[in-house]
Amino acid sequence: MPSRKELANAIRVLSMDAVQKAKSGHPGAPMGMADIAEVLWRDYLKHNPSNPEWADRDRFILSNGHGSMLIYSLLHLSGYELSIEDLKNFRQMHSKTPGHPEYGYAPGIETTTGPLGQGITNAVGMAIAEKSLAAQFNRGEHSIVDHYTYAFLGDGCLMEGISHEACSLAGTLGLGKLIAFWDDNGISIDGEVEGWFSDDTPKRFEAYGWHVIANVDGHDSEAIKAAIEAARAESDKPTLICCKTVIGYGSPNKSGSHDCHGAPLGDEEIKAAREFLGWEHGAFEVPEDVYAKWDATARGQQQQSEWLVKFTEYQMEYPELAAEFERRMKGDLPANWSEHTETYIANLQANPANPATRKASQNALNAYGPILPEFMGGSADLAGSNLTLWEGSKGLTAEDASGNYIFYGVREFGMSAIMNGIALHKGFVPYGATFLMFMEYARNAVRMAALMKQPSIFVYTHDSIGLGEDGPTHQPVEQLASMRLTPNLVNWRPCDQVESAVAWQQAIERKNGPTSLIFTRQGLEQQARDEQQVQAIKKGGYVLSCDGNPELILIATGSEVQLAVDAAKELRESGKKVRVVSMPSTDVFDAQSAQYKESVLPSSVTRRVAVEAGIEDYWYKYVGLNGAVVGMSTFGESAPANELFEHFGFTVQNVVNKANSLF
């Protein structure tokens, strides 16, 4: 009968073997945390290897994702569809076991981790989702939502600023089913961390409002088990279990040092480690009795079966709630969604108004929100400026988690990664807002949403020099161009209330990636369109007005569309045949058929001018090197918006002059 230490050693040897075969990787963390993982996964983790998507499973996050062989070993040993051959292909092209855990590659990987601090922040989002779903759906004795979120994290995660943002909010929200294990091994890439990380971490987390269990021996299974029991007994606070471990435990000559952090141990050291651990089997060899003790398939199937009995009873008593829960966890939209949104958009077009698009965005939330109980909104301390609160918004608190709005505080990066965790958990459509300029604080979380194909909706207001007097620190110039260059991120910059409503509709319908919605501070005039043009908005770019066979095309987005329309009018008065193209989403337009793109931007018309109050270089892909761009090439200034637009050339006369220069 294998002992706990032998079961943990299976993780150690698989990890060091895979790293050695790949000739790269991080064996230290998997070897150091193996004992903690063995206790958690075998004694506590609720999961079903034969159905990794079971809604009420516990979530496990390896925030220190460089130690990826830890989770790959756990998944393989537990019975997931991750074979020994997959482990042998660690870090190889198109393998299910890339260098860092990647969502969607191997079953059981709950999120992509590697950028330190984001995994624990995703975990906070998942714990928020669990707590809110439970508050919204559980009734009396019927607890259909009742699971934990467990996260492993290292010193690096705790040094990253995002961990402060997320863990502070987790304490405020009383996320009692979030349990984090700190791998306190005192080592990072550069060596012993005491020279650059001397925080009193337990006191820090106590100050956040966490339950802290300090000085747990991370190699003593009984101590680990007692800590987990104490953590699960605390229902009102998240728990940090501080585990003292030896990095690379089992390596006689390299454990306890940075030598085993991020490099293979080497053949001789692996041989010595096998002797030290008493492991008498060859590379990638695990005895059948060890596999048998690790296999969680039968237990997982039993756990899911027991849950299904509970859900069936719930279904009988609360059929509508049960159907709603299933719909939301599948990510399906309400049956009346399309009809509801199309009617709203048509009514807007029939009843012109000229609000700022941030206000048009709020109006769309008020229109769509009542049929979307899955909305989970928020703002990074700018709700009154972003206008993300709608009439049905209810703040989520520690005492009442049934709300649908998170007051994130000034935590743009934390907010964005928490949103990703909420999206990964499923059951919600998360949106969160800040000024477009402060997307910079959150950029890597936005990138991670795109990488993981998660439908987070990032709302960015105050989108250009048009915000005025706050000056260049708050005026985005290059941000939108860089976001358009991010793969799988769809960006919308609408020109009026109709395009804003369509942008929200398309963002909510998108299921294979994130969307950013870019809105103005200033009011924008509504454009005239027929029904066909309204439908064409969904294609990202469309002909707003045209004179027969055009000899000149003006392309614009957002607040500059009206400028293009006014310039076209003047150009037409001088005899020019002009087409105006509104392009609220270059990303969506680029994805259209070649035929459609040619119909909007015919290649025969080479005289083109693009107009946008953002970095001008991006637009040469549409106007060509011989075209013209009215855009920004510097940072802004502090002044009233109308003065800024004139100063930087966003005037009818300048657009007309640029256009005439092409003839």
Side-chain angles (χ1 to χ4, degrees), residues 477-493:
V477 171
E478 72 278 23
Q479 283 64 40
L480 185 48
S482 69
M483 291 162 69
R484 288 169 174 151
L485 296 175
T486 302
N488 200 41
L489 174 63
V490 165
N491 307 278
W492 288 84
R493 186 173 184 248

Side-chain angles (χ1 to χ4, degrees), residues 70-329:
L70 174 63
I71 193 167
Y72 297 148
S73 299
L74 287 165
L75 293 171
H76 168 71
L77 291 166
S78 297
Y80 286 79
E81 286 190 17
L82 198 68
S83 69
I84 200 71
E85 292 303 315
D86 291 320
L87 269 56
K88 290 178 181 179
N89 282 326
F90 179 54
R91 286 182 164 238
Q92 304 309 301
M93 181 73 77
H94 303 312
S95 74
K96 294 165 74 173
T97 51
H100 291 83
E102 302 280 355
Y103 179 79
Y105 282 57
I109 301 295
E110 299 284 3
T111 182
T112 298
T113 55
L116 294 177
Q118 287 201 62
I120 179 61
T121 308
N122 293 162
V124 170
M126 293 177 187
I128 289 173
E130 191 278 340
K131 184 169 183 173
S132 185
L133 274 176
Q136 292 179 15
F137 284 97
N138 290 351
R139 295 291 185 274
E141 298 300 313
H142 297 281
S143 296
I144 61 164
V145 181
D146 184 12
H147 54 267
Y148 285 86
T149 302
Y150 298 101
F152 281 8
L153 64 156
D155 296 316
C157 289
L158 292 174
M159 283 186 258
E160 287 286 359
I162 191 174
S163 73
H164 296 257
E165 296 182 25
C167 295
S168 169
L169 186 61
T172 299
L173 294 178
L175 302 180
K177 287 188 177 175
L178 172 63
I179 299 175
F181 297 79
W182 170 32
D183 182 25
D184 181 13
N185 60 34
I187 297 293
S188 65
I189 292 176
D190 283 350
E192 296 181 6
V193 301
E194 61 185 14
W196 49 87
F197 183 51
S198 58
D199 303 16
D200 189 331
T201 298
K203 285 185 179 178
R204 171 186 154 190
F205 275 76
E206 286 173 1
Y208 290 155
W210 284 53
H211 173 217
V212 177
I213 304 173
N215 297 313
V216 175
D217 184 343
H219 301 298
D220 181 339
S221 58
E222 291 305 313
I224 296 163
K225 190 166 185 175
I228 296 173
E229 289 288 344
R232 288 165 62 98
E234 173 55 74
S235 60
D236 296 330
K237 296 179 180 181
T239 296
L240 179 70
I241 301 177
C242 306
C243 300
K244 292 285 185 181
T245 65
V246 176
I247 190 171
Y249 181 93
S251 170
N253 303 302
K254 295 186 177 182
S255 64
S257 78
H258 68 280
D259 291 338
C260 65
H261 173 90
L265 297 180
D267 291 331
E268 288 304 311
E269 186 64 13
I270 286 178
K271 181 180 178 182
R274 275 185 155 76
E275 292 177 4
F276 178 88
L277 296 171
W279 192 267
E280 300 176 351
H281 314 284
F284 296 101
E285 289 183 10
V286 178
E288 286 304 317
D289 60 346
V290 172
Y291 272 126
K293 291 290 284 184
W294 264 110
D295 191 354
T297 305
R299 187 184 70 191
Q301 290 172 343
Q302 178 64 27
Q303 288 173 327
Q304 184 172 354
S305 295
E306 291 170 359
W307 179 82
L308 285 170
V309 170
K310 287 165 52 177
F311 186 76
T312 301
E313 293 171 353
Y314 177 83
Q315 207 168 26
M316 291 174 66
E317 192 164 348
Y318 303 101
E320 292 181 2
L321 275 176
E324 183 70 358
F325 177 79
E326 289 182 313
R327 177 187 73 79
R328 285 174 55 173
M329 294 306 291

Side-chain angles (χ1 to χ4, degrees), residues 7-35:
L7 296 173
N9 287 344
I11 297 171
R12 294 186 170 101
V13 296
L14 287 173
S15 297
M16 65 185 187
D17 287 347
V19 171
Q20 186 64 29
K21 187 174 187 300
K23 297 183 173 57
S24 71
H26 299 74
M31 296 175 75
M33 298 192 81
D35 296 305

Side-chain angles (χ1 to χ4, degrees), residues 589-624:
F589 179 76
D590 288 348
Q592 301 304 312
S593 67
Q595 182 181 11
Y596 179 77
K597 287 185 284 188
E598 177 69 17
S599 73
V600 176
L601 299 176
S603 53
S604 59
V605 184
T606 57
R607 297 186 185 94
R608 301 180 182 185
V609 181
V611 190
E612 185 177 61
I615 202 73
E616 63 185 23
D617 286 1
Y618 177 82
W619 286 98
Y620 286 101
K621 67 182 283 188
Y622 298 105
V623 302

Side-chain angles (χ1 to χ4, degrees), residues 526-564:
Q526 181 164 321
Q527 301 302 315
R529 303 177 187 83
D530 59 26
E531 186 177 340
Q532 187 175 356
Q533 287 171 308
V534 172
Q535 291 301 313
I537 295 171
K538 298 174 186 176
K539 296 185 176 181
Y542 63 101
V543 178
L544 189 60
S545 67
C546 189
D547 303 318
N549 295 318
E551 53 187 340
L552 168 71
I553 300 175
L554 302 180
I555 311 168
T557 80
S559 51
E560 287 68 68
V561 169
Q562 184 61 49
L563 181 58

